[in-house]
Amino acid sequence: MKKLFLHIGLRKTGTSGIQAMLARSGEYLGSCGLEFPILPNSQEKKGKVWNSPFRHNCVAARYADYNTVFDKLTNEETKSFWGNLSQNSLDSIISGESFSRQIDFSSLARDLESFETEVIVYIRRQDKLIESLYNQRNKLLAQRGDSSVIHEQFLTEQELLSFMNRPDHKRGLNFIDLLNRIETSLKPHKLHVRKFDRNCLAGGDVTADFCEILGIDVARMTAPSEEANRSIGNEILKSWKKVALENSRVEADEFIWEVNRERSEGVDYSGDYRLFSNRVRAQVLEQFREHNAALLERYGVDLGSGN
């Protein structure tokens, strides 16, 4: 039976970097008996993701029981995609962030029946994950260049806690629920659950760790030219907020437009994006103490440790 590695990429766990590496390393992957498959040629007009390193989100969209922005494979494209994978002599690697949003995996499970599937999931300590998700949201707001989103609570611990308590984010922090659904519906031959933490990853990097799972040499893979999905530091966001609240929205728009222009030219504005105080961070972790104890017992992943 053909082996298939299914990477169910949770947000802010290095998924984009893994996909960029896989897309650039086809020749070496082939020499290892692996492929990062392309999508079928389509008779319909598709968005730019279809032929990008992030293309397998379109595969996930085929099974989506949630709202998705990605193009979905048609019935014929789905048949062609899985048929090509089953007939190919190479084992396949499928990687998509959107798979992690799926509630019911039963339809996907039916299309995976002819494969020996190994599922790979990286999970991140909840306080660090929510800070990263909040920074991602703020980066997207900054990229829009619209300072009308700035208010007194912007970039505060209070707003971060409200952000964390949104139902969709609460659900996304429940890793046990996701892993249960993977095990009961997909019934993978093997489930790899890894902690997204440099101190725990092979080689201190998620791409190296991913390659270790695949059994290949990361040194022979082609790394992305720059860090994928780079953050934006709080200092820049604080400056944007200050201009908006103390000067004018027009000046704030001009400020963030200039930042966006420089970022597009390669200027690195990443930096520290932590917001939780030590006291509140401890309170957040206490909320997940029993959940993380269960993760440690069932999957050997210790999210309760680390700084």
Side-chain angles (χ1 to χ4, degrees), residues 88-297:
N88 196 324
S89 61
L90 302 175
D91 292 331
S92 301
I93 307 163
I94 306 297
S95 174
E97 188 175 272
S98 291
F99 286 113
S100 67
R101 299 180 61 195
Q102 191 75 20
I103 302 300
D104 181 0
F105 285 107
S106 57
S107 295
L108 175 61
R110 286 192 290 272
D111 283 334
L112 292 176
E113 286 177 351
S114 61
F115 300 93
E116 181 183 292
T117 303
E118 295 192 19
V119 173
I120 304 169
V121 181
Y122 288 91
I123 58 178
R124 190 171 184 176
R125 208 176 74 180
Q126 290 88 351
D127 59 318
K128 295 183 177 182
L129 176 57
I130 206 66
E131 284 178 315
S132 187
L133 288 172
Y134 181 68
N135 180 261
Q136 175 78 358
R137 188 212 68 170
N138 292 337
K139 182 179 74 171
L140 293 174
L141 293 177
Q143 288 172 344
R144 294 174 191 167
D146 181 5
S147 299
S148 66
V149 300
I150 301 295
H151 53 87
E152 288 288 349
Q153 296 301 316
F154 177 75
L155 212 65
T156 64
E157 195 172 62
Q158 182 178 345
E159 188 185 50
L160 177 57
L161 286 170
S162 296
F163 181 82
M164 182 185 77
N165 287 318
R166 282 173 36 179
D168 56 332
H169 292 149
K170 277 287 193 182
R171 185 171 59 251
L173 297 173
N174 189 341
F175 307 131
I176 288 285
D177 180 62
L178 172 64
L179 296 171
N180 276 337
R181 287 185 280 110
I182 289 171
E183 288 188 300
T184 56
S185 293
L186 294 181
K187 297 180 173 61
H189 176 75
K190 191 169 186 179
L191 174 59
H192 305 267
V193 184
R194 310 287 266 242
K195 182 179 180 180
F196 184 77
D197 183 311
R198 291 186 186 278
N199 295 321
C200 302
L201 298 170
D205 180 81
V206 70
T207 56
D209 193 87
F210 193 83
C211 288
E212 180 181 81
I213 294 173
L214 299 180
I216 61 178
D217 184 2
V218 68
R220 297 186 62 185
M221 299 286 280
T222 303
S225 56
E226 61 181 40
E227 182 182 346
N229 203 11
R230 183 177 287 168
S231 66
I232 184 168
N234 280 346
E235 287 306 311
I236 288 293
L237 296 172
K238 287 177 182 177
S239 297
W240 183 29
K241 177 180 178 180
K242 182 176 181 180
V243 174
L245 297 183
E246 296 183 7
N247 296 4
S248 70
R249 302 288 182 182
V250 172
E251 290 179 70
D253 284 348
E254 292 173 351
F255 171 84
I256 203 63
W257 291 340
E258 180 64 15
V259 169
N260 287 334
R261 183 189 64 78
E262 292 178 352
R263 290 183 76 242
S264 70
E265 295 175 352
V267 177
D268 183 4
Y269 279 117
S270 61
D272 188 5
Y273 54 78
R274 291 173 295 179
L275 279 175
F276 283 132
S277 63
N278 290 338
R279 178 182 63 83
V280 174
R281 190 179 300 279
Q283 291 173 350
V284 169
L285 290 176
E286 178 61 23
Q287 292 181 38
F288 294 98
R289 182 173 55 82
E290 292 185 6
H291 174 275
N292 291 345
L295 278 171
L296 178 59
E297 180 179 357

